């Protein structure tokens, strides 16, 4: 998406004014709708997220909004006005749109009152320097947007310090993943790495790589999660971990199962591992 600003007639305008849009063919709306495609998210390095609470939380965490969109029902609501004022103050654009336009942007029949176009944020892998008491998650070629969103949400809830996306993964900034994170996307640092970049990082990081594997020899409850920071390495939904990653691990952990299921769902297995690793380190606050 380009960074043009338009009047209702499509002409250029100054940044920082609230603009009313009712037409589905408005060029700014077309640009926002194009964010449903990865190509456009990659080009513009932006993404769409929905919900007033999420927008407020993201602003508080320092995320930059390029365009804040609210439907007419939001006009005059103090929280919406405040989010709009913050967007304008940081040079963003604010749109007041009809329900129909909001529905078409978010592809929902009953859209939320507020959505926003945010700048994407990636942490450099080198900024992940595991310290004692920290737990990271590394995901090998995660494919399913719902799984990735659920893992980001769970990692946030368990107190993990960051997630590394290894290899060719689903896009964390797709609408489906963003929805599944329930706002945790804004709180959880994400880095990406090729397999070899991850292996190089692993050599330098003073961390224990605990890879989960159906053929793992070690019961996940018996692992030492305390003497070093832990990186939980999780395999692809279909094929599990490739040998190269499994060999690089310090331990291959297994979650014992009963019944007929071959394996656990990736997000479920990650949750089990995360809460076990964190349990060894601290007593999680019961909220
Ligand atoms: N067919 C795949 C295989 O053979 O590995 C199943 C992959 S499973 C759906 C996705 C990932 O979840 C696995 O690679 C592993 O990281 C983790 N996982 C699922 N169940 C597990 C278990 N019982 N023990 C350890 N890891 C498990």
């Amino acid at each position: 998406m380009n960074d043009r600003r338009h009047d209702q007639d499509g002409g250029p305008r100054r940044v920082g004014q609230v603009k009313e849009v009712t037409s589905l063919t408005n060029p700014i709306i077309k640009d926002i709708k194009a964010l449903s495609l990865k190509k456009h998210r990659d080009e513009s390095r932006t993404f769409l997220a929905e919900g007033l609470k999420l927008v407020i939380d993201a602003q508080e965490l320092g995320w930059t909004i390029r365009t804040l969109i609210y439907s007419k029902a939001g006009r005059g609501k103090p929280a919406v006005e405040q989010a709009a004022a913050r967007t304008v103050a940081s040079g963003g654009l604010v749109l007041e749109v009809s329900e129909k336009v909001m529905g078409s942007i978010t592809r929902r029949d009953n859209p939320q009152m507020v959505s926003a176009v945010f700048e994407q944020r990636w942490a450099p892998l080198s900024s992940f320097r595991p310290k004692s008491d920290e737990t990271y998650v590394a995901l090998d070629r995660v494919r399913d947007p719902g799984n990735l969103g659920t893992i980001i949400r769970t990692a946030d809830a368990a107190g993990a310090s960051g997630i590394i996306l290894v290899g060719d993964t689903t896009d964390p900034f797709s609408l489906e993943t963003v929805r599944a994170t329930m706002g945790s996307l804004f709180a959880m640092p994400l880095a990406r790495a090729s397999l070899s970049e991850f292996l190089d990082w692993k050599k330098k990081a003073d961390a224990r790589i605990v890879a989960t594997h159906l053929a793992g020899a070690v019961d996940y409850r018996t692992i030492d999660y305390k003497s070093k920071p832990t990186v939980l390495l999780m395999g692809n939904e279909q094929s599990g971990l490739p040998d190269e990653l499994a060999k690089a691990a310090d331990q291959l952990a297994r979650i014992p199962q009963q019944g007929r299921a071959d394996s656990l769902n990736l997000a479920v297995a990650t949750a089990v591992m995360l809460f076990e690793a964190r349990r060894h380190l601290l007593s999680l606050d019961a909220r």
Side-chain angles (χ1 to χ4, degrees):
M1 192 175 74
N2 62 36
D3 204 18
R4 283 171 294 144
R5 304 284 189 256
H6 302 270
D7 272 326
Q8 215 147 15
D9 61 6
R13 61 178 293 282
R14 235 162 27 87
V15 172
Q17 299 165 340
V18 177
K19 178 178 165 52
E20 234 182 290
V21 182
T22 51
S23 164
L24 293 172
T25 57
N26 179 292
I28 309 176
I29 301 301
K30 281 187 169 172
D31 278 351
I32 295 172
K33 286 171 71 174
L35 293 177
S36 62
L37 300 175
K38 183 170 186 305
K39 175 175 174 280
H40 291 285
R41 292 194 297 273
D42 287 349
E43 276 167 15
S44 63
R45 297 187 189 169
T46 64
F47 66 102
L48 186 70
E50 311 147 275
L52 178 60
K53 181 179 179 305
L54 179 149
V55 163
I56 292 169
D57 287 353
Q59 283 182 319
E60 259 153 36
L61 288 166
W63 284 68
T64 306
I65 293 182
R66 290 256 188 102
T67 309
L68 181 84
I69 308 128
Y70 67 85
S71 57
K72 289 202 164 60
R75 185 191 289 172
K77 291 221 170 5
V80 176
E81 302 257 306
Q82 204 186 339
R86 287 180 84 158
T87 302
V88 169
S90 60
L93 178 67
V94 179
L95 305 179
E96 184 180 300
V97 303
S98 60
E99 281 269 315
K100 190 176 63 169
V101 170
M102 188 63 106
S104 84
I105 288 173
T106 58
R107 297 158 181 257
R108 279 191 195 264
D109 290 338
N110 293 307
Q112 304 238 21
M113 198 164 57
V114 174
S115 49
V117 176
F118 289 89
E119 289 179 9
Q120 294 185 11
R121 201 186 269 184
W122 288 100
L125 185 56
S126 57
S127 70
F128 283 4
R129 294 193 197 94
K131 292 188 278 299
S132 58
D133 290 6
E134 281 194 328
T135 312
Y136 288 78
V137 176
L139 300 172
D140 160 49
R141 298 165 298 143
V142 53
R143 299 307 308 168
D144 183 84
N147 273 348
L148 178 55
T150 304
I151 290 170
I152 292 171
R153 179 181 179 184
T154 309
D156 179 25
S161 301
I163 297 179
I164 306 165
L165 301 180
V166 183
D168 187 17
T169 69
T170 190
D171 181 10
F173 299 111
S174 71
L175 199 50
E176 200 181 341
T177 300
V178 173
R179 273 181 189 150
T181 73
M182 298 293 287
S184 290
L185 175 74
F186 297 102
M188 183 51 49
L190 297 180
R192 54 188 159 183
S194 65
L195 194 145
S196 61
E197 285 166 345
F198 175 73
L199 294 175
D200 284 349
W201 174 82
K202 187 243 160 196
K203 279 183 208 143
K204 289 175 218 145
D206 186 24
R208 175 174 288 111
I209 309 281
V210 177
T212 54
H213 204 290
L214 301 186
V218 188
D219 183 320
Y220 77 112
R221 292 164 293 193
T222 64
I223 288 173
D224 168 15
Y225 296 99
K226 269 187 159 169
S227 60
K228 275 186 173 192
T230 303
V231 179
L232 300 172
L233 177 56
M234 310 299 300
N236 166 270
E237 288 98 333
Q238 271 78 46
S239 53
L241 278 181
D243 288 348
E244 208 174 347
L245 277 176
K247 274 189 206 134
D250 298 297
Q251 293 204 275
L252 278 189
R254 177 178 41 86
I255 305 167
Q257 292 183 203
Q258 297 185 4
R260 292 181 56 82
D262 289 337
S263 63
L264 295 169
N265 160 276
L266 169 63
V268 171
T270 310
V272 170
M273 292 301 297
L274 265 169
F275 277 90
E276 179 66 10
R278 300 301 294 160
R279 185 180 72 80
H280 286 251
L281 290 164
L282 42 105
S283 52
L284 293 166
D285 289 343
R287 275 195 247 164

